[in-house]
Amino acid sequence: MTETNQSQQTTTDVLLIGGGIMSATLATMIAELEPSWSIRVLERLDRPARESTGPWNNAGTGHAALCELNYTPQAEDGSVDISKAIVVNEQFALSRQLWAFLVENGRLPSPDAFIHATPHMSFVWGEENVAYLRERHRLLSEHPLFEGMLYTEDPEQIRAWAPLLLEGRTDDEPIAATYAVQGTDVDFGALTELLLDSVAERGLTVDFNADVKSVKRDKDGLWVVKGKQDGTKFEHRAKFVFVGAGGRALTLLQKSRIPEIKGFGGFPVSGEFLRTDNPEIVARHHAKVYGKAAVGAPPMSVPHLDTRVVNGKTSLMFGPYAGFSPRYLKHGSLLDMFKSLRWHNLIPMIRSGLANIPLTIYLITQLISRPKTKFKDLLDFFPDAEMKDWQKIIAGQRVQVIRPNGVLQFGTEVITHADGSIAGLLGASPGASTAAPIMFEVLERCFPAQWDGWQPKLTEMVPSHGHKLSTEPGLAREVQKRTAEVLGLDVPDVSDVA
């Protein structure tokens, strides 16, 4: 990547604030669609992907709803809704296709640098939870996007899939699991660096240590972005600005004074994981295993025991343990939340707080829990686990969207100005896994004049663009097979693991 550390005034076609997976994905797409456009990225820290995109700041799950039970909620009558799971699966399929295109065209090196085949499992215990998982599997296995998902209540089969889950476990309660061989583990930090490096070869400029202080519209219609870089003031003018600054996107969009951001607020959630690099333990678990969230827990706090591959080294990670901090970024300020308060979002934030008191209590409880108490959650998954083998790591900060009506939204929200000259992204999970479809939305909403002309190239980049995989089983299978081959996932046939 090209680094510039000189104070300067520049004019660029596209200015991206934030050096995470979202900005890297958008920069990549624009470089393919409009090679002549100038692109600049401003990153507040000394290198890209140090906030939520960093490999140890997230679970690295290629979120395809294969194992995440929060995407298939159960109603009071016992029915299971799989609609969200279908949407998430289709979204991740778009990201996989984009990555495959970039690998095939030499934009990305060996995919082994950022993605690995890792089975996705759901694991539950107790009669009610087993009944829920059984029904969830029945519904999903009938859908073309989830073909091949296996289900069992047999402890020995579960032991064959993930031995740690059964080590030290008694036979006094029913258990069940599903197994999806097509799951993945993704190092979004490595992917982000590779994407930025690739676009840099075609003229992208990345400024590190560039702390944006203001975003304002000039009388000539251009956006003026000002800040400091290594103590020196900078000023950049741009035709289009994207704010992909994680939790800080809210306050930067507020500074732009676009009416579309009015009423939006942010609820920060901090997190921790437990991690082990003990090779004897790591060798006995190759899967991402998700359970059910505790009552009152936010969706991003679904417990899971994961295989992680970072910088070529395999580890296991368990969590997350949720908590509360007023910071909007891991490397942020304790005043972040208070600085985001405006007259137009004060009432929505108060309403959201009053409506989510159980969530607040849960987060505070998690925050003050002793290490031994938290470790008991891991024992539910790995009964023979010992504290000496695990170390605490701090996860990235998540800022959940508070909508103008006061509703706390778990997910992402694209904010665009009416004329498409500025856009930003609020929210979190599934986040990085859905970067491609989110950036498709940004492109369509912000560049309507170019959108139709871009269609052939977009279809080349993502062959299923314009199609709905959930209604085209043949295309869904073709996409799954092709991307697996190109990305080197080497997914075995289901019969090999049954």
Side-chain angles (χ1 to χ4, degrees):
M1 287 170 282
T2 302
E3 297 183 44
T4 61
N5 292 299
Q6 301 174 357
S7 176
Q8 57 183 322
Q9 294 183 353
T10 66
T11 299
T12 187
D13 293 311
V14 176
L15 184 66
L16 310 176
I17 302 175
I21 186 63
M22 296 300 172
S23 291
T25 300
L26 184 56
T28 298
M29 289 183 170
I30 291 176
E32 294 291 336
L33 295 167
E34 297 289 346
S36 64
W37 287 8
S38 57
I39 307 173
R40 180 182 292 270
V41 174
L42 302 178
E43 167 54 45
R44 187 173 64 95
L45 301 177
D46 60 357
R47 61 182 186 272
R50 286 196 62 196
E51 284 287 343
S52 294
T53 301
W56 295 116
N57 290 336
N58 60 72
T61 302
H63 286 292
L66 299 169
C67 59
E68 307 95 313
L69 302 182
N70 52 303
Y71 296 140
T72 51
Q74 185 176 30
E76 292 184 2
D77 64 1
S79 61
V80 177
D81 181 3
I82 66 170
S83 58
K84 178 66 174 178
I86 294 170
V87 170
V88 171
N89 190 287
E90 289 208 44
Q91 289 177 328
F92 184 59
L94 296 183
S95 292
R96 277 180 55 143
Q97 289 173 79
L98 175 63
W99 303 338
F101 165 82
L102 295 171
V103 170
E104 284 183 312
N105 287 271
R107 305 299 195 199
L108 289 175
S110 170
D112 186 61
F114 67 90
I115 189 169
H116 298 86
T118 307
H120 284 192
M121 295 179 60
S122 299
F123 176 64
V124 299
W125 51 92
E127 291 184 5
E128 291 185 4
N129 290 336
V130 168
Y132 157 74
L133 191 62
R134 187 186 304 123
E135 177 63 9
R136 176 183 184 272
H137 173 262
R138 184 186 70 80
L139 294 172
L140 289 179
S141 62
E142 295 174 351
H143 196 280
L145 294 180
F146 298 88
E147 286 182 346
M149 178 182 287
L150 304 176
Y151 173 84
T152 188
E153 296 175 23
D154 179 6
E156 291 309 309
Q157 180 61 75
I158 298 175
R159 189 190 304 277
W161 289 340
L164 292 189
L165 300 179
L166 272 293
E167 291 187 8
R169 187 175 301 277
T170 61
D171 298 328
D172 57 358
E173 64 178 345
I175 58 176
T178 57
Y179 188 95
V181 72
Q182 62 267 41
T184 54
D185 172 69
V186 184
D187 182 342
F188 289 104
L191 175 60
T192 296
E193 294 196 42
L194 292 170
L195 291 174
L196 291 176
D197 283 341
S198 175
V199 185
E201 294 177 358
R202 289 167 281 165
L204 170 75
T205 299
V206 180
D207 291 349
F208 295 125
N209 299 311
D211 189 8
V212 175
K213 300 295 185 181
S214 69
V215 181
K216 294 183 179 180
R217 195 75 175 270
D218 204 349
K219 60 182 179 181
D220 60 5
L222 294 179
W223 288 97
V224 180
V225 177
K226 297 181 180 181
K228 285 188 176 182
Q229 183 180 22
D230 295 323
T232 303
K233 292 182 179 180
F234 65 76
E235 177 180 313
H236 299 298
R237 297 160 62 83
K239 299 175 184 177
F240 171 74
V241 172
F242 173 71
V243 185
R248 203 173 178 218
L250 173 61
T251 53
L252 289 177
L253 287 170
Q254 289 173 337
K255 290 179 179 181
S256 74
R257 297 186 178 181
I258 60 173
E260 291 82 359
I261 196 61
K262 287 186 177 180
F264 281 92
F267 184 84
V269 178
S270 59
E272 299 175 355
F273 286 101
L274 293 177
R275 168 183 160 189
T276 181
D277 301 318
N278 185 323
E280 294 183 3
I281 299 174
V282 172
R284 301 202 302 275
H285 186 84
H286 180 64
K288 289 182 179 291
V289 183
Y290 276 61
K292 290 198 72 174
V295 177
M300 83 292 292
S301 295
V302 174
H304 44 95
L305 179 61
D306 293 352
T307 294
R308 294 302 321 274
V309 181
V310 177
N311 296 324
K313 182 178 180 180
T314 305
S315 305
L316 297 185
M317 187 168 74
F318 176 79
Y321 299 97
F324 177 80
S325 166
R327 289 186 173 90
Y328 275 0
L329 290 168
K330 185 175 180 178
H331 299 91
S333 166
L334 291 173
L335 299 177
D336 285 344
M337 186 173 71
F338 306 104
K339 288 180 179 179
S340 74
L341 295 177
R342 301 289 190 277
W343 64 266
H344 53 73
N345 70 4
L346 187 58
I347 291 179
M349 290 185 73
I350 292 174
R351 290 178 61 186
S352 177
L354 293 175
N356 291 279
I357 291 177
L359 171 60
T360 303
I361 294 174
Y362 170 80
L363 295 177
I364 293 174
T365 301
Q366 284 272 291
L367 187 65
I368 63 176
S369 293
R370 299 173 59 191
K372 287 186 178 180
T373 301
K374 292 182 177 181
F375 194 75
K376 290 180 180 178
D377 294 335
L378 172 57
L379 297 179
D380 288 335
F381 282 76
F382 176 18
D384 275 354
E386 298 182 27
M387 287 189 68
K388 64 180 179 62
D389 294 316
W390 299 79
Q391 60 178 310
K392 181 179 76 173
I393 58 175
I394 305 299
Q397 194 78 348
R398 304 290 188 267
V399 180
Q400 305 302 324
V401 179
I402 295 177
R403 300 190 60 78
N405 60 4
V407 173
L408 183 64
Q409 173 180 306
F410 295 101
T412 53
E413 180 81 19
V414 175
I415 304 292
T416 58
H417 187 31
D419 67 1
S421 63
I422 187 170
L425 183 68
L426 306 179
S429 182
S433 293
T434 57
I438 289 173
M439 292 307 111
F440 266 69
E441 181 180 351
V442 170
L443 292 172
E444 182 176 14
R445 290 168 60 174
C446 294
F447 300 96
Q450 292 87 359
W451 182 248
D452 287 343
W454 284 345
Q455 293 309 299
K457 185 64 177 182
L458 290 173
T459 301
E460 180 186 353
M461 294 161 63
V462 178
S464 74
H465 172 57
H467 296 265
K468 200 168 184 178
L469 294 178
S470 59
T471 61
E472 299 184 47
L475 179 59
R477 294 187 192 99
E478 180 183 335
V479 165
Q480 178 73 20
K481 180 180 179 181
R482 175 181 165 273
T483 56
E485 291 175 349
V486 175
L487 296 175
L489 299 179
D490 192 27
V491 177
D493 187 88
V494 172
S495 60
D496 295 335
V497 296

